[in-house]
Amino acid sequence: IRLAILLGAAEMIRSGVTAYIDHFPHLRQAEAAYAAHREAGLRVGFAPFLHDIHDHDFFGIDLPQDLRRRLDGAGFAPADRLATMFRGLAAQARADGGRVAILLGPNAPQRCSPALLDLWRSLRDELDLSVHTHLLETRAQAERCRALWPGGLVAEMARRGLLDRRLAAAHGIWLLPEERALLARHGVTIVHNPASNLMLGSGLMPYADYAARGVAMALGSDSANTGGPADLFELMRLAMMLPRLGGQHWRTWPSARDVLRMATEGGAAALGLAGRAGRIAEGAAADLVLFDPGIAATIAGTASVDQIVQHGGPDAVRAVMAGGAWVYRNGRILAFDEEAVRRDAQHSAAEIVHTAADGVTLANEARPFIEKFLARPSNVS
């Protein structure tokens, strides 16, 4: 876990990222992950998972009992243990100064039982935590949620008091207009994941409608398994171009300045830092990126937001500061020993692949049953 986090941090630092959210599933390694984020030197919203419903149960996928038992594995952490973990992590993060902040990380609302949704709200209010979750990434999720809850999932979240400015929701693709209106009314931030949405074929986030409603939007990669490298320049370009596929009028397309705002002020909002980070202003956090306009891709133009978004890349990043401390300068990461991390990761790679083999086998066994479910005309994701 430590090596994975530091390798990811190195990639992000070189791409000019100063802050990010880690939506973290491996609860048994939460303390090790927190320590690694502290070591990485960046500003982090560390959001360990909350969930207690498997997708195969939520969708009612017909599985053989032995396969179901193996997929369910060791089960989920009980609510009281989750509450203890979050209280401990939140206290530790505040004692450490808050550069690594604790967020609640419900995997997705439909993957949480009513009891866990109540825990989400009570811990959020008790500990004053921001929240990060996934929201209606696929059509299959949206259809199932509309069958289960009057008005759909977002309406159920509103009824349970889960919508407010402390919530950031990734994806937000398959929402009805009235659901997007609810998010706007409650000040929820949407985290756009353009590379992941393309890789998985999840659909197009309705940028123009969110923008027209004044919804704050941020950018994410959705991690390396679906989004590729944590290259914020690539994500900005994709976010700028993708709305052009939807047949919308060109006046509704995001500009370079719009997507730069998503990558900066929008990201700060997703981290619960609206107005305190993501901009260069007196009193704002000293999270800064020095960009060299003299790289080959931009040398012929005038340094501008258009140039940065349309033609910039990690090769133009000369220095990165997080919280007033340099973490990258002169081609070298200063926060930790990047070369040692790479060496250790190379030595561990074979063991990691070997350890994952049983999980890959299990996934392949489950695949025909999932494909059968997805083959139903009303459940195409």
Side-chain angles (χ1 to χ4, degrees):
I1 292 295
R2 173 182 174 272
L3 295 174
I5 286 171
L6 292 179
L7 284 172
E11 184 175 68
M12 285 187 279
I13 288 169
R14 292 180 178 277
S15 178
V17 173
T18 62
Y20 61 96
I21 290 173
D22 180 8
H23 202 196
F24 187 76
H26 311 288
L27 296 186
R28 289 187 179 89
Q29 284 81 39
E31 290 186 4
Y34 173 81
H37 286 307
R38 289 268 299 159
E39 185 179 353
L42 295 177
R43 193 177 303 280
V44 183
F46 180 47
F49 267 18
L50 287 167
H51 62 159
D52 59 358
I53 295 175
H54 293 288
D55 269 357
H56 52 262
D57 290 324
F58 174 71
F59 286 114
I61 298 174
D62 188 20
L63 297 173
Q65 280 302 113
D66 177 64
L67 181 58
R68 177 181 294 276
R69 176 184 56 79
R70 290 159 60 210
L71 281 169
D72 290 353
F76 297 105
D80 58 345
R81 191 182 305 165
L82 289 170
T84 299
M85 180 191 74
F86 276 103
R87 289 185 181 111
L89 285 171
Q92 184 66 53
R94 285 166 179 154
D96 290 338
R99 182 176 52 76
V100 178
I102 305 304
L103 278 58
L104 292 173
N107 182 336
Q110 76 275 7
R111 295 178 180 134
C112 297
S113 66
L116 212 57
L117 294 175
D118 289 342
L119 181 66
W120 162 355
R121 185 178 66 182
S122 65
L123 284 177
R124 178 200 65 189
D125 294 343
E126 172 194 338
L127 302 173
D128 191 21
L129 300 180
S130 292
V131 183
H132 182 76
T133 192
H134 282 203
L135 184 61
L136 300 182
E137 180 177 358
T138 70
R139 178 175 159 186
Q141 291 170 353
E143 290 178 346
R144 181 66 174 153
C145 288
R146 286 167 202 152
L148 288 174
W149 292 292
L153 180 59
V154 178
E156 177 67 9
M157 294 171 71
R159 285 189 289 268
R160 290 184 169 275
L162 300 176
L163 302 181
D164 71 3
R165 293 187 179 278
R166 290 172 290 183
L167 176 62
H171 303 291
I173 299 172
W174 292 95
L175 278 72
L176 298 173
E178 55 267 33
E179 293 177 304
R180 296 194 287 271
L182 270 175
L183 298 187
R185 194 177 310 144
H186 288 87
V188 175
T189 297
I190 285 292
V191 183
H192 184 25
N193 293 273
S196 174
N197 296 344
L198 281 169
M199 177 68 75
L200 297 177
S202 299
L204 289 174
M205 188 198 77
Y207 169 85
D209 189 77
Y210 281 127
R213 297 178 189 276
V215 175
M217 287 178 276
L219 287 177
S221 68
D222 206 18
S223 196
N225 62 337
T226 59
D231 181 346
L232 195 52
F233 295 95
E234 178 186 49
L235 295 174
M236 286 193 292
R237 274 189 290 275
L238 288 173
M240 187 169 67
M241 293 185 292
L242 272 176
R244 305 179 185 197
L245 297 176
Q248 300 292 325
H249 192 279
W250 63 269
R251 290 189 184 278
T252 68
W253 296 348
S255 67
R257 191 168 295 278
D258 290 330
V259 297
L260 182 65
R261 188 176 299 114
M262 293 166 71
T264 52
E265 293 181 75
L271 281 155
L273 297 170
R276 291 181 284 159
R279 60 197 182 106
I280 300 175
E282 184 177 351
D287 298 351
L288 302 170
V289 179
L290 273 63
F291 180 89
D292 180 2
I295 62 169
T298 58
I299 197 167
T302 302
S304 66
V305 170
D306 287 341
Q307 283 282 75
I308 291 172
V309 172
Q310 294 185 47
H311 303 291
D315 58 333
V317 175
R318 291 292 174 262
V320 177
M321 174 182 283
W326 294 111
V327 295
Y328 178 70
R329 288 183 87 174
N330 301 320
R332 181 167 159 265
I333 289 177
L334 306 177
F336 56 91
D337 188 339
E338 182 184 13
E339 289 306 312
V341 170
R342 290 181 184 275
R343 285 196 306 269
D344 290 347
Q346 287 175 333
H347 293 152
S348 302
E351 180 185 354
I352 291 169
V353 172
H354 176 75
T355 303
D358 289 345
V360 173
T361 299
L362 183 59
N364 285 329
E365 287 183 42
R367 179 173 176 168
F369 300 95
I370 297 169
E371 287 180 341
K372 182 179 178 181
F373 167 78
L374 290 174
R376 301 176 188 175
S378 62
N379 288 321
V380 177
S381 66

